[in-house]
Amino acid sequence: MRLFIVDAFTDTAFQGNPAGVCLLEDRVPETWMQAVAAELRLSETAFLLGDSLRWFTPKVEVTLCGHATLATAHVLYSTGAAQGPVEFATASGTLTVNRHPDGMITMDFPAKEVTPATVPEGLEKALGVTPVHVSKGDLDLLVEVDSAETVRALRPDIDALAAVGARGVIVTARGTETDFVSRFFAPNVGVPEDPVTGSAHCALSPYWSAKLGRTTLTGAQLSERGGLVRVTLAGDRVHLAGHAVTVISGTMQIQPPS
């Protein structure tokens, strides 16, 4: 079976967020998919069988992943396996992707509204900064801080963040060169820091659209690799757009058990 590594939310190799993409030929055990994801040690590996798409971190299966969906769509378009809109059946419902003439790929994802929350015990100490505002969604905590430089300079205590009790912690601020910036930490699912996180932007989009009064925004994720995510809020959906680059294309040598 074919296996790819794709850098997502970037048009430059070795930037953005690398994802594994495995094109399955038949059903395989979940334990085997988890083992492949653990072997690759990427923040997510996508497994596609027909139109069914699943995502695994090195530790667990997740219900929504933006960059690995973008990577999967890029593989289908770049290999000629797909043209025009593609629908994936996922744990988060049907996700539609489409490629534009300039190579940009747009994904239609569910918006993740967040509501104001009290600051969880230990969060401020774990992050090493004082939050301006804390909100909670169904997946993650969203923490606004005072500036983009504060976001960039974060050196959180990852073990302490794991005790917060959410899939992950999104730290964000208003941007200077982009509309907003963010970083994303998810030690509870085996990802200490994710380089660029599409699913986090499902919460960042409605949050910053409400604050800035616009539905089309650009976010920069300020991880070491970095990446750009263009977002458009459309009711209860978010359109996430970005480029992707294939860096490795090969064949899986270890076959799953029958």
Side-chain angles (χ1 to χ4, degrees), residues 71-158:
T72 303
H74 169 78
V75 166
L76 294 180
Y77 289 128
S78 63
T79 60
Q83 297 180 354
V86 176
E87 292 187 347
F88 295 123
T90 79
S92 291
T94 299
L95 305 179
T96 303
V97 300
N98 198 12
R99 184 172 66 171
H100 301 278
D102 64 355
M104 182 84 73
I105 295 174
T106 299
M107 305 179 290
D108 182 0
F109 271 37
K112 299 291 185 180
E113 296 289 344
V114 295
T115 56
T118 57
V119 179
E121 183 178 354
L123 177 66
E124 186 172 338
K125 183 177 180 181
L127 289 176
V129 299
T130 300
V132 171
H133 180 80
V134 175
S135 297
K136 184 172 177 58
D138 62 344
L139 293 176
D140 307 311
L141 279 177
L142 189 152
V143 180
E144 184 182 350
V145 296
D146 60 353
S147 71
E149 278 309 308
T150 297
V151 175
R152 189 184 300 276
L154 281 175
R155 297 294 183 269
D157 181 335
I158 296 298

Side-chain angles (χ1 to χ4, degrees), residues 15-248:
Q15 297 182 20
N17 198 352
V21 178
C22 188
L23 303 182
L24 299 174
E25 299 172 353
D26 205 345
R27 294 187 181 277
V28 298
E30 291 181 4
T31 53
W32 187 84
M33 290 188 281
Q34 187 64 74
V36 171
E39 180 78 9
L40 291 179
R41 301 301 298 174
L42 301 170
S43 55
E44 267 92 9
T45 298
F47 295 85
L48 182 67
L49 177 62
D51 66 349
S52 175
L53 181 63
R54 298 173 70 174
W55 313 278
F56 289 77
T57 78
K59 186 176 179 180
V60 298
E61 183 174 8
V62 295
T63 59
L64 187 65
C65 179
H67 84 279
T69 303
L70 177 60
T72 303
H74 169 78
V75 166
L76 294 180
Y77 289 128
S78 63
T79 60
Q83 297 180 354
V86 176
E87 292 187 347
F88 295 123
T90 79
S92 291
T94 299
L95 305 179
T96 303
V97 300
N98 198 12
R99 184 172 66 171
H100 301 278
D102 64 355
M104 182 84 73
I105 295 174
T106 299
M107 305 179 290
D108 182 0
F109 271 37
K112 299 291 185 180
E113 296 289 344
V114 295
T115 56
T118 57
V119 179
E121 183 178 354
L123 177 66
E124 186 172 338
K125 183 177 180 181
L127 289 176
V129 299
T130 300
V132 171
H133 180 80
V134 175
S135 297
K136 184 172 177 58
D138 62 344
L139 293 176
D140 307 311
L141 279 177
L142 189 152
V143 180
E144 184 182 350
V145 296
D146 60 353
S147 71
E149 278 309 308
T150 297
V151 175
R152 189 184 300 276
L154 281 175
R155 297 294 183 269
D157 181 335
I158 296 298
D159 290 337
L161 278 183
V164 167
R167 179 192 72 156
V169 177
I170 308 164
V171 184
T172 187
R174 189 171 299 205
T176 53
E177 298 178 2
T178 57
D179 295 301
F180 62 89
V181 300
S182 67
R183 288 173 67 187
F184 182 70
F185 307 96
N188 280 331
V189 294
V191 184
E193 179 172 5
D194 197 33
V196 193
T197 315
S199 61
H201 284 75
C202 292
L204 288 163
S205 174
Y207 182 81
W208 283 108
S209 287
K211 291 180 75 73
L212 300 178
R214 290 182 286 115
T215 57
T216 297
L217 305 168
T218 299
Q221 198 151 328
L222 301 182
S223 63
E224 183 177 347
R225 292 174 64 100
L228 293 177
V229 184
R230 293 164 178 84
V231 296
T232 300
L233 184 63
D236 63 353
R237 309 293 293 181
V238 175
H239 299 157
L240 309 172
H243 288 92
V245 180
T246 300
V247 292
I248 295 176

